[in-house]
Amino acid sequence: MDTPSPMPALKINRWLPYWAVFGADARQTVQSWIYRLWVLLSLAAAAGFLLYRFGAKQQAGFVQPAPEMISDLLTWVVWGSVTLIIVLTAGTISGERGIVADSVLSRGISRYQYFLGKWHARLAVILGTYLVLVVLALAGAFVLLHSDMLTLDGCAVAIAVVGALLVLVVTCGVSVSALSTNTVVSITLVWLLLYGAGFLMSLLPANYPAPDRALHNLPHVLRGVYDLQMVGRLISGALSLSLLIAIVGMIGFARRDV
């Protein structure tokens, strides 16, 4: 009598729910009208600003140094579009309470994986879009204005500084959304926390890194004139604070009712 062959062992991908949430949220974010509005406004502002400076250069011979121009664009990304980014992230979980209960409690997706999938998806979409917009702006500055005042390392450091600040904004939005039950309340809390913290940090002594000082010094950074230790402290501080906020949001979300 033939003995039955053993069944092959099934490999269980424990991170499959995470990737499912990540992919679904990334598609949902890209298809949202807030994201498209943010991209459209950013492209329109960058293109209009570059064409205006190019026209001023051609007609009146007025040339704004490229570092100052790119600094203005990066500053607009932070201050001009931060409200849209807050709206885009503050409703990540609070706006889907019914879906959360069904997904987490009925389909075996842990709350930690759900939070991480949502958080990482918003980070990937927003930071990826930001990187593309900045690269296009830098390319436009080189083509239209033929500037030789920008340095490669200075551009990389400036992009990293603004990117670290955006990581903090996105993380704060997703974490507050995980702890709140109302999207409007989440948006208000994130807006007050970020602007309040930025104001308080601006009152610190000059040797402490602060967002407003970092943005003010971007023209020097783009020229390659920067204090690497100070920049490192700012980036590491923003990323460390983002990680701490994410941990608090994830643990709070795991322990509360949905």
Side-chain angles (χ1 to χ4, degrees), residues 146-216:
H146 306 287
S147 175
D148 57 354
M149 301 177 67
L150 296 172
T151 62
L152 184 60
D153 63 319
C155 292
V157 171
I159 292 174
V161 168
V162 178
L165 296 178
L166 290 180
V167 169
L168 182 59
V169 173
V170 174
T171 303
C172 190
V174 175
S175 298
V176 172
S177 175
L179 300 175
S180 176
T181 57
N182 186 281
T183 302
V184 177
V185 174
S186 299
I187 294 173
T188 305
L189 288 176
V190 175
W191 195 91
L192 292 175
L193 286 173
L194 290 176
Y195 281 92
F199 173 75
L200 293 177
M201 292 183 68
S202 66
L203 302 178
L204 295 175
N207 57 333
Y208 287 89
D212 62 328
R213 299 192 191 105
L215 297 176
H216 181 74

Side-chain angles (χ1 to χ4, degrees), residues 234-250:
L234 175 64
I235 295 177
S236 62
L239 296 181
S240 299
L241 183 58
S242 299
L243 181 60
L244 177 62
I245 293 174
I247 292 174
V248 172
M250 183 169 58

Side-chain angles (χ1 to χ4, degrees), residues 70 73-74 77 128-140 155 158-159 162:
I70 299 300
L73 289 175
L74 292 176
V77 168
T129 304
Y130 153 73
L131 182 60
V132 172
L133 294 175
V134 171
V135 170
L136 291 176
L138 290 173
C155 292
I159 292 174
V162 178

Side-chain angles (χ1 to χ4, degrees), residues 6-245:
M7 295 293 293
L10 296 178
K11 293 183 179 180
I12 299 176
N13 186 355
R14 299 185 182 276
W15 287 97
L16 185 60
Y18 163 82
W19 288 113
V21 173
F22 180 93
D25 191 75
R27 290 190 297 270
Q28 178 185 349
T29 304
V30 173
Q31 294 172 359
S32 67
W33 68 268
I34 300 175
Y35 170 81
R36 295 178 179 180
L37 177 63
W38 172 52
V39 174
L40 180 62
L41 290 178
S42 300
L43 287 174
F49 192 70
L50 287 173
L51 291 176
Y52 171 75
R53 292 303 177 186
F54 179 72
K57 174 185 176 182
Q58 295 296 108
Q59 297 297 325
F62 174 75
V63 180
Q64 183 187 25
E68 278 74 13
M69 184 190 66
I70 299 300
S71 173
D72 292 341
L73 289 175
L74 292 176
T75 302
W76 186 89
V77 168
V78 176
W79 297 123
S81 60
V82 68
T83 300
L84 288 176
I85 295 176
I86 290 174
V87 174
L88 191 62
T89 57
T92 303
I93 297 177
S94 62
E96 300 181 350
R97 284 299 173 183
I99 302 175
V100 170
D102 178 64
S103 300
V104 175
L105 301 180
S106 302
R107 300 186 180 181
I109 302 176
S110 71
R111 299 189 185 189
Y112 295 109
Q113 290 186 345
Y114 194 94
F115 178 90
L116 290 175
K118 290 283 188 177
W119 177 39
H120 292 163
R122 299 295 165 119
L123 282 176
V125 171
I126 292 176
L127 291 181
T129 304
Y130 153 73
L131 182 60
V132 172
L133 294 175
V134 171
V135 170
L136 291 176
L138 290 173
F142 278 109
V143 171
L144 295 178
L145 303 179
H146 306 287
S147 175
D148 57 354
M149 301 177 67
L150 296 172
T151 62
L152 184 60
D153 63 319
C155 292
V157 171
I159 292 174
V161 168
V162 178
L165 296 178
L166 290 180
V167 169
L168 182 59
V169 173
V170 174
T171 303
C172 190
V174 175
S175 298
V176 172
S177 175
L179 300 175
S180 176
T181 57
N182 186 281
T183 302
V184 177
V185 174
S186 299
I187 294 173
T188 305
L189 288 176
V190 175
W191 195 91
L192 292 175
L193 286 173
L194 290 176
Y195 281 92
F199 173 75
L200 293 177
M201 292 183 68
S202 66
L203 302 178
L204 295 175
N207 57 333
Y208 287 89
D212 62 328
R213 299 192 191 105
L215 297 176
H216 181 74
N217 291 329
L218 281 181
H220 302 291
V221 174
L222 290 166
R223 289 187 174 92
V225 181
Y226 55 87
D227 185 349
L228 186 59
Q229 183 179 4
M230 183 67 71
V231 171
R233 288 172 57 190
L234 175 64
I235 295 177
S236 62
L239 296 181
S240 299
L241 183 58
S242 299
L243 181 60
L244 177 62
I245 293 174

